[in-house]
Amino acid sequence: MSKDPSLFTRQTERELKRIVFSREEIRARVLQMAGEITNAYGPGDEILVLGLLKGSFIFLADLVREIQRPLQVDFLVASSYGNAMRSSGDVRLLYDSEASVKGRSVILVEDIIDSGTTLNRLVPLLEARGPRTLEICALLHKRVAALDREPRWVGFDAPREFLVGYGLDYSENYRHLPFIGSL
């Protein structure tokens, strides 16, 4: 295996149709969103950031490092894709957060809103647990879903293409890419 990282990137880029959002565009937008979130909460708010794994992990890590408020992080694992390029419509909660949401300001962080199936299942489940507030933050939104609740913060409107990179995958591949590309 070659130790030249540029060779790997060139090979990966040949598999993609195009780069949709560059590393620089993502970084700038994440900083802007973190500022918006910081300004939305007071210093005394108990913020719990819940990341939807696996796709949100890179976005969530970059985002929470830039939010200028005390917060805690936990995760949920829900699946509706498996190894397919389309949602099955059947959402399975594979791992539930152990953190209490009762009385807290909760931010649910999603990598991409596509069919909306996952959010429409998880939002009522979390609301039933009694958070003070529940907001959604998504890196990408395809604007094709009929959502019960729209996200408060969206990084980018996404094209109706299958996107990978920056945490998004196809059959567990491409998550590590520092940009978002279209297969």
Side-chain angles (χ1 to χ4, degrees):
M1 183 161 146
S2 170
K3 295 188 183 224
D4 178 6
S6 65
L7 175 63
F8 177 76
T9 302
R10 285 193 307 270
Q11 288 171 338
T12 302
E13 287 177 2
R14 280 194 301 255
E15 297 171 3
L16 300 174
K17 287 182 190 174
R18 66 188 181 101
I19 294 175
V20 179
F21 300 108
S22 70
R23 175 189 294 212
E24 295 77 19
E25 290 173 305
I26 295 167
R27 176 76 181 140
R29 185 63 184 120
V30 169
L31 286 170
Q32 187 178 32
M33 292 172 75
E36 292 168 6
I37 291 169
T38 298
N39 292 333
Y41 295 95
D45 288 327
E46 291 185 49
I47 301 171
L48 174 63
V49 179
L50 287 177
L52 280 166
L53 291 177
K54 298 179 190 173
S56 73
F57 80 102
I58 293 174
F59 170 50
L60 180 133
D62 288 347
L63 183 70
V64 298
R65 282 192 295 252
E66 301 299 335
I67 296 172
Q68 302 299 307
R69 293 283 181 254
L71 56 82
Q72 292 181 348
V73 175
D74 205 348
F75 297 94
L76 300 168
V77 179
S79 175
S80 69
Y81 279 81
N83 289 329
M85 290 179 109
R86 292 189 179 216
S87 173
S88 67
D90 178 35
V91 177
R92 295 179 301 136
L93 190 58
L94 307 175
Y95 174 80
D96 199 352
S97 169
E98 294 182 3
S100 172
V101 303
K102 188 165 182 65
R104 299 175 84 178
S105 298
V106 176
I107 303 171
L108 183 60
V109 176
E110 174 74 289
D111 55 350
I112 186 167
I113 300 173
D114 193 347
S115 69
T117 305
T118 302
L119 282 179
N120 285 341
R121 166 118 191 311
L122 291 179
V123 166
L125 180 117
L126 291 171
E127 284 178 332
R129 296 177 182 179
R132 186 170 72 78
T133 63
L134 175 61
E135 300 291 352
I136 300 166
C137 176
L139 176 62
L140 302 169
H141 195 332
K142 287 192 176 179
R143 307 280 179 196
V144 296
L147 296 174
D148 297 335
R149 176 180 302 187
E150 285 293 326
R152 181 167 179 181
W153 299 285
V154 174
F156 302 98
D157 284 342
R160 294 181 184 183
E161 302 171 42
F162 195 87
L163 303 175
V164 295
Y166 197 69
L168 288 86
D169 77 303
Y170 173 60
S171 198
E172 296 301 324
N173 294 302
Y174 305 103
R175 287 189 197 279
H176 64 289
L177 300 176
F179 53 82
I180 296 171
S182 173
L183 280 183

